[in-house]
Amino acid sequence: DIDLIAEREDYWVIDKPAGLMGHPLKLTDARTVTHWAFDRLPAIATEFPEAQPTLSPHRLDTWTSGLLVVAKTRAAYD
């Protein structure tokens, strides 16, 4: 489970738990912050059509927990 700290029109702030990858590193990775975002808002696929998109403009290592900004739109990411 990912705790949602704040939600705005074009991004979320989440509390990423330790052990969860931010984005897929391989096409077979299925449990990431990216997957959480796609499940929560499927329309993100139109903003980030890449096979292995990155939705966070910054990163936290897999084993690091903490606040993470997750973009809902390409403009917010940029």
Side-chain angles (χ1 to χ4, degrees):
D1 290 332
I2 294 178
D3 290 331
L4 182 61
I5 303 303
E7 182 169 11
R8 301 295 183 265
E9 184 177 337
D10 53 355
Y11 68 91
W12 293 289
V13 177
I14 64 165
D15 187 6
K16 186 191 89 57
L20 181 66
M21 291 189 296
H23 58 86
L25 299 176
K26 301 177 297 215
L27 291 175
T28 57
D29 290 337
R31 188 175 178 271
T32 68
V33 170
T34 298
H35 288 88
W36 170 87
F38 273 63
D39 286 345
R40 190 169 181 89
L41 184 63
I44 289 177
T46 61
E47 294 283 330
F48 300 91
E50 304 88 347
Q52 293 174 268
T54 300
L55 307 181
S56 181
H58 64 102
R59 60 173 286 213
L60 293 172
D61 291 335
T62 298
W63 296 107
T64 302
S65 64
L67 298 181
L68 189 67
V69 174
V70 181
K72 295 180 183 179
T73 65
R74 180 63 66 180
Y77 179 86
D78 292 342

